Amino acid sequence: MKKLLLQMLFLTAYICSDAQGDIRSQILSYNDSTEIMIRNGRQLLVDQTLSGKHQAALKTLNYLKENIDERYAILTPVEELIFSLSTRNFPLFLYNARNFNTLTQSRARMVFHQNMHFELQDYLINEMPFIIEDLDKNSMHEEDKEIIRFYIRYYMAENLEELQASIKRYQKEHPDSEYQYFLNELKSQTLTGRINFNFGYGNEFLDGAIAETFTDRFHVMSMEIDAIINKLYLSIFFSGSISKIQSNIDLPVKDNDVLHSKDEKVSSMKFGLKIGRVLYSKPGFNFYPYLTIGGYEMNSQSSAIRNNNSSVVENTLTSSFMTGVGAAGDIIIKRWQPQGLYNSSGYWFLRPQIGYDRFLSSKAHTNGSDFYFMISTGIGLGSF
């Protein structure tokens, strides 16, 4: 009986393993030899380039392009540039730059594979001084050399604002250049920017009629979302009081029958936009002045309003349009480097800032000004 059970068990295991083997064979039978050649060929290109066998790598690329189904692209346009620069084939680089918008026009299919510029990144950065030296010694026209230099400056992330200006000058001096499409694409990649999100704490000092009506000094907290594009600073902000503010007189609440009594609690609220320009910048620090437009309110926190059962309760005591000026500086505390050369970096920063706002209102108890200083901290993403 035991012998029979063992035979049945072995037979079942054999049938299952044979079925699994059949399934595996069927799956493998769908492998496209074209895709295998492209994957293996791309890896061979990388290996030959890293080992310094540049001519062998060029022969491999030519073989793949001549023998692979023409519907498939071997390299992306960016990879074509990276490969030709890595192998120091400057004429090939210029050909790829001239035809940048049509390199894969007839080859719509791509085989998924790790981007070549990630695999060649360290090699290319280490070899760049020697590539630049070979380029300088090359006998090609200076206008053509400049095209390659533009890409090298971009790849090495050398002051992208200056690079953008250099490309614009080149395009102005050579309006009929056959590299115009490539230069426009490269120029679009030189736009530097970052977005920040931060919270702040500081003090406000009121002056004028509004200071005679309310407590003239108090603590505030703020929230700000801003972006810096090249040197342009744009911000949306909101801040409000967190320490005790009182009114010095009785005040009517706007659009409400409630009277706010003297010495009852009040809260401030400031909101608006900032626009400025970076005047000084170096790694880890930026300084920029800005203009402010927005609104400023004093709102009642009277118990009479809090006890009102209405679903919508108006509690504004004073409100006015404001404009102002200020200055701030961003100081990097910690930076998180990107995984890839073209990825954005993250950072944690401190932002001290100081400013002055003028309340533009002729109404009683509203006119005046506001001086403030604040320390903010936050996180950002992008190029600093």
Side-chain angles (χ1 to χ4, degrees):
M1 185 66 178
K2 287 184 179 180
K3 186 177 180 180
L4 180 60
L5 288 174
L6 287 172
Q7 289 176 342
M8 292 179 65
L9 181 61
F10 284 126
L11 180 61
T12 302
Y14 174 78
I15 293 172
C16 290
S17 63
D18 189 55
Q20 290 178 352
D22 288 343
I23 294 172
R24 183 174 183 275
S25 299
Q26 291 177 39
I27 292 173
L28 291 176
S29 69
Y30 282 95
N31 280 345
D32 189 334
S33 59
T34 300
E35 295 186 1
I36 293 175
M37 283 200 60
I38 292 175
R39 286 194 180 94
N40 292 344
R42 284 170 57 95
Q43 190 57 54
L44 181 58
L45 288 175
V46 171
D47 293 342
Q48 289 174 331
T49 303
L50 293 178
S51 61
K53 300 175 181 178
H54 297 160
Q55 291 302 317
L58 291 168
K59 289 180 180 179
T60 300
L61 181 60
N62 290 333
Y63 175 85
L64 290 171
K65 288 183 176 181
E66 291 170 2
N67 292 276
I68 294 295
D69 188 332
E70 62 183 13
R71 294 173 300 172
Y72 288 84
I74 311 303
L75 303 177
T76 66
V78 172
E79 289 175 335
E80 292 276 8
L81 295 174
I82 296 294
F83 175 77
S84 55
L85 195 60
S86 298
T87 56
R88 308 183 195 187
N89 192 320
F90 302 129
L92 179 59
F93 183 97
L94 293 174
Y95 170 84
N96 292 328
R98 282 195 301 271
N99 300 280
F100 192 71
N101 60 327
T102 59
L103 285 176
T104 58
Q105 197 172 57
S106 61
R107 295 176 177 265
R109 295 187 180 183
M110 292 292 299
V111 176
F112 177 77
H113 198 275
Q114 183 173 347
N115 287 332
M116 184 176 286
H117 64 76
F118 290 135
E119 299 177 286
L120 295 178
Q121 177 177 322
D122 292 339
Y123 171 82
L124 190 53
I125 290 175
N126 292 332
E127 288 291 310
M128 196 61 76
F130 307 107
I131 294 174
I132 294 172
E133 184 179 345
D134 288 349
L135 177 62
D136 291 339
K137 294 178 180 178
N138 197 286
S139 60
M140 68 176 63
H141 294 297
E142 195 63 30
E143 292 84 359
D144 292 333
K145 289 184 181 180
E146 198 64 25
I147 298 296
I148 303 175
R149 291 191 184 110
F150 285 152
Y151 190 79
I152 290 175
R153 289 170 62 186
Y154 163 70
Y155 190 86
M156 301 301 289
E158 295 181 6
N159 199 322
L160 296 182
E161 292 180 23
E162 290 186 6
L163 174 58
Q164 187 180 62
S166 298
I167 293 175
K168 287 180 178 179
R169 283 196 300 270
Y170 183 95
Q171 290 182 305
K172 187 175 181 179
E173 294 170 1
H174 306 86
D176 299 324
S177 171
E178 53 191 343
Y179 303 106
Q180 285 292 352
Y181 182 88
F182 171 73
L183 291 174
N184 287 332
E185 288 294 305
L186 192 59
K187 186 170 62 178
S188 70
Q189 298 300 315
T190 62
L191 187 66
T192 61
R194 62 185 183 274
I195 186 168
N196 304 310
F197 180 77
N198 62 87
F199 289 95
Y201 171 84
N203 283 336
E204 283 191 9
F205 303 87
L206 300 180
D207 189 36
I210 194 170
E212 297 173 0
T213 308
F214 304 99
T215 304
D216 62 355
R217 176 182 176 181
F218 47 89
H219 303 297
V220 295
M221 287 199 71
S222 69
M223 181 181 72
E224 186 172 358
I225 300 175
D226 62 79
I228 296 181
I229 304 171
N230 282 352
K231 293 189 175 183
L232 178 65
Y233 165 71
L234 298 170
S235 168
I236 300 174
F237 71 91
F238 171 88
S239 69
S241 59
I242 57 172
S243 62
K244 187 177 180 180
I245 305 177
Q246 294 177 318
S247 61
N248 300 325
I249 59 174
D250 295 341
L251 290 170
V253 178
K254 286 186 176 183
D255 303 323
N256 201 320
D257 295 332
V258 176
L259 182 68
H260 176 89
S261 301
K262 175 184 176 181
D263 294 333
E264 287 198 289
K265 291 182 179 180
V266 176
S267 64
S268 73
M269 182 171 66
K270 184 194 295 187
F271 52 90
L273 303 173
K274 297 177 184 177
I275 181 169
R277 181 175 177 81
V278 176
L279 293 185
Y280 179 76
S281 178
K282 67 176 184 178
F285 178 74
N286 275 334
F287 171 77
Y288 45 92
Y290 57 82
L291 300 176
T292 303
I293 57 171
Y296 193 90
E297 294 182 357
M298 284 292 189
N299 298 310
S300 172
Q301 300 300 317
S302 169
S303 57
I305 293 179
R306 292 198 304 269
N307 294 332
N308 192 314
N309 294 323
S310 174
S311 59
V312 179
V313 179
E314 177 62 54
N315 68 337
T316 304
L317 296 174
T318 65
S319 63
S320 65
F321 178 75
M322 71 171 192
T323 61
V325 296
D330 292 344
I331 305 169
I332 293 293
I333 299 175
K334 183 175 177 59
R335 192 190 300 268
W336 292 275
Q337 295 297 336
Q339 295 297 317
L341 184 67
Y342 301 108
N343 293 347
S344 299
S345 61
Y347 50 89
W348 171 34
F349 66 95
L350 279 180
R351 175 181 294 168
Q353 56 183 307
I354 189 170
Y356 174 84
D357 298 317
R358 183 70 184 176
F359 308 140
L360 305 179
S361 175
S362 58
K363 296 179 182 179
H365 317 301
T366 303
N367 192 27
S369 62
D370 164 52
F371 172 78
Y372 63 90
F373 63 85
M374 189 171 297
I375 295 289
S376 303
T377 184
I379 57 175
L381 181 68
S383 303
F384 193 99

